[in-house]
Amino acid sequence: MIKLIVGLGNPGRQYEKTRHNAGFLFLDTLLADYGGSWQFEGKFQGHLAECAIAYHKLLLLKPETFMNRSGQAVGKVARYYKIQPEEILVVHDELDFDAGVVKLKKGGGHAGHNGLRDIIAHLGSNDFYRLRIGIGRPAVGKVVADYVLSEPSKADWLLLEGGFGLAKPYIGPIVSGQTEAAMNKLNT
């Protein structure tokens, strides 16, 4: 079962609605649906919230360490609450999927995603679940960093919101341990 859902993103108003903040944005929609509020916890270097999904209490985390240091906050929360890597779901942006495409997987490498790279380093494991939210790739010749740190077009924003809506019904089964069934349905 999942005990911690982590949304990846960058803190600050200038990053709020950027592609790279898909994880933060998704967690905000979950919290709006399930109730609860964000509280900054300095010892964890992030915003934490508690909520119940599918009758399971769990924590939501938005690291405030910037994307490339996300593992610092995730590692601190995991150690403090004695949460194992396989009990963590990380929600993040995915360049390799078109905007709005959402897929679930467990384990694997970081595929160049610096937030995932840092989480793997701080947990000492890659054995956590990932909810990958497609943001698409920049046009050939465009700088990836500029692309992920920019706001999506209105059309892409609607696709991202559609992806959030597609993924939300699967969060209950994922949290309650039905990850294989959720993965099979969500990934087809």
Side-chain angles (χ1 to χ4, degrees):
M1 289 193 301
I2 300 296
K3 296 181 180 176
L4 172 64
I5 302 178
V6 179
L8 297 188
N10 285 308
R13 291 186 87 54
Q14 70 270 34
Y15 300 112
E16 273 181 4
K17 298 213 181 224
T18 62
R19 292 175 176 92
H20 223 15
N21 275 33
F24 276 16
L25 295 166
F26 182 76
L27 258 58
D28 287 340
T29 67
L30 271 187
L31 203 57
D33 289 351
Y34 290 100
S37 61
W38 293 111
Q39 300 294 323
F40 180 74
E41 297 287 343
K43 68 182 174 184
F44 298 130
Q45 295 178 281
H47 282 89
L48 272 181
E50 289 185 15
C51 69
I53 299 176
Y55 305 104
H56 298 282
K57 285 186 86 172
L58 66 145
L59 294 170
L60 305 181
L61 170 66
K62 294 193 306 186
E64 288 287 308
T65 52
F66 286 91
M67 182 67 77
N68 295 354
R69 299 286 178 245
S70 298
Q72 293 174 0
V74 175
K76 287 178 181 185
V77 171
R79 284 187 297 279
Y80 184 84
Y81 288 101
K82 297 177 177 39
I83 298 171
Q84 299 303 310
E86 61 272 9
E87 299 170 322
I88 299 172
L89 172 65
V90 176
V91 183
H92 66 89
D93 59 303
E94 179 61 65
L95 281 167
D96 290 331
F97 301 155
D98 290 336
V101 172
V102 179
K103 295 194 179 198
L104 178 67
K105 78 177 219 173
K106 183 178 182 189
H110 54 73
H113 194 292
N114 289 328
L116 293 176
R117 176 183 286 133
D118 201 55
I119 291 171
I120 292 168
H122 281 270
L123 292 178
S125 172
N126 65 354
D127 199 29
F128 52 89
Y129 289 91
R130 298 114 187 262
L131 185 65
R132 306 178 306 163
I133 300 174
I135 60 169
R137 280 206 168 271
V140 175
K142 299 288 183 181
V143 178
V144 170
D146 293 342
Y147 178 77
V148 299
L149 295 175
S150 67
E151 291 188 21
S153 66
K154 283 188 177 187
D156 280 355
W157 181 253
L158 290 173
L159 292 170
L160 281 174
E161 287 181 329
F164 294 169
L166 176 69
K168 282 200 274 188
Y170 294 98
I171 295 300
I174 292 167
V175 165
S176 60
Q178 301 167 34
T179 49
E180 289 300 318
M183 201 176 302
N184 289 336
K185 290 181 181 175
L186 190 57
N187 292 353
T188 55

